[in-house]
Amino acid sequence: IINNLNEIITLKKEYLDKVILLWGNHDLMYYHINDLDFRCSGFRPEIGLTLYEIFSNNNKLFQYAHQINNYIFTHAGIQNNWFTTKFKGNINKNIADQLNNPIDRGQFKALHQVGYRRGGYSDVGGIVWCDKNELTKPLKNYNQIVGHTHTNEVKEFIFSSDKLNKFNSKNIVYFCDCLDSLSKPLIFKIND
């Protein structure tokens, strides 16, 4: 784990503008090692302090979200109601900028909230904990690429509402936590 993480960080440092590192729930539990609210399954106390040091020394290389036009990359996904009511984001501004720069403690806490399906106390999880089953109403007018929920292959779920259908448009969520079963690299081509 430590060697892989160091290799990923080195790759990011070599290609600052081409490699994006996103925070996930397992990363954050080490970055916030003293806060039990961030703890999740898989915690390894024997390497906890080493991982804390790596994440602390390189925290500026990580972000919560990345956006290209109407495609948004996050660890676990963005549920529409969560974004507008829990995070209190503005749908008319750049989504990733808002997620990467929470303006108050309420937004910061919303990013990390855990839904019932993942053992938490909220109706839906934030972008590092959202469960696939909580994304039945994803962020409107955006396509998302998310991990967090393991699949055997990249799975595409298409959501549409009456308002979107009127414009012949869809929301697509791609679940891509399938690295252990991929035979070739995963590449998303997004037209600018």
Side-chain angles (χ1 to χ4, degrees):
I1 290 172
I2 293 169
N3 291 339
N4 287 343
L5 180 58
N6 281 326
E7 287 176 11
I8 290 168
I9 288 171
T10 298
L11 182 67
K12 168 66 176 172
K13 287 177 178 177
E14 288 176 15
Y15 301 97
L16 282 173
D17 295 334
K18 294 184 180 191
V19 174
I20 306 298
L21 300 180
L22 298 177
W23 286 114
N25 54 314
H26 290 277
D27 311 315
L28 288 165
M29 78 172 162
Y30 293 109
Y31 182 56
H32 297 284
I33 197 166
N34 293 322
D35 189 337
L36 294 180
D37 287 340
F38 287 88
R39 197 64 59 90
C40 61
S41 64
F43 181 75
R44 298 173 186 213
E46 68 278 6
I47 59 173
L49 290 177
T50 302
L51 291 173
Y52 165 76
E53 209 170 275
I54 292 170
F55 285 119
S56 294
N57 291 335
N58 297 286
N59 67 335
K60 301 271 189 241
L61 299 176
F62 290 81
Q63 58 195 62
Y64 287 102
H66 180 68
Q67 182 173 343
I68 302 171
N69 301 324
N70 73 328
Y71 284 82
I72 298 179
F73 298 76
T74 62
H75 176 68
I78 308 167
Q79 197 257 21
N80 194 73
N81 192 49
W82 171 87
F83 182 76
T84 58
T85 62
K86 307 283 186 184
F87 183 75
K88 296 185 168 103
N90 184 337
I91 202 76
N92 297 314
K93 293 184 177 179
N94 183 288
I95 305 298
D97 284 348
Q98 293 175 75
L99 296 169
N100 289 326
N101 302 290
I103 59 172
D104 57 32
R105 182 81 178 142
Q107 282 191 333
F108 180 78
K109 285 178 72 174
L111 288 171
H112 306 100
Q113 77 183 40
V114 183
Y116 304 127
R117 293 181 190 274
R118 294 289 180 142
Y121 303 102
S122 301
D123 55 337
V124 66
I127 64 169
V128 295
W129 275 104
C130 192
D131 187 80
K132 174 177 136 181
N133 295 310
E134 297 168 348
L135 277 175
T136 55
K137 294 182 181 172
L139 193 62
K140 292 178 183 175
N141 301 322
Y142 289 91
N143 298 304
Q144 298 185 56
I145 295 86
V146 303
H148 190 65
T149 301
H150 183 76
T151 61
N152 290 328
E153 60 186 357
V154 175
K155 296 214 176 180
E156 175 183 295
F157 290 87
I158 300 173
F159 303 92
S160 59
S161 68
D162 293 336
K163 185 176 181 183
L164 289 172
N165 283 336
K166 187 164 76 173
F167 302 104
N168 197 23
S169 179
K170 309 174 221 180
N171 289 22
I172 302 173
V173 178
Y174 299 92
F175 293 94
C176 61
D177 184 0
C178 56
L179 187 59
D180 59 346
S181 58
L182 283 178
S183 58
K184 59 183 181 178
L186 180 61
I187 299 172
F188 283 94
K189 293 183 180 179
I190 299 172
N191 297 330
D192 285 316

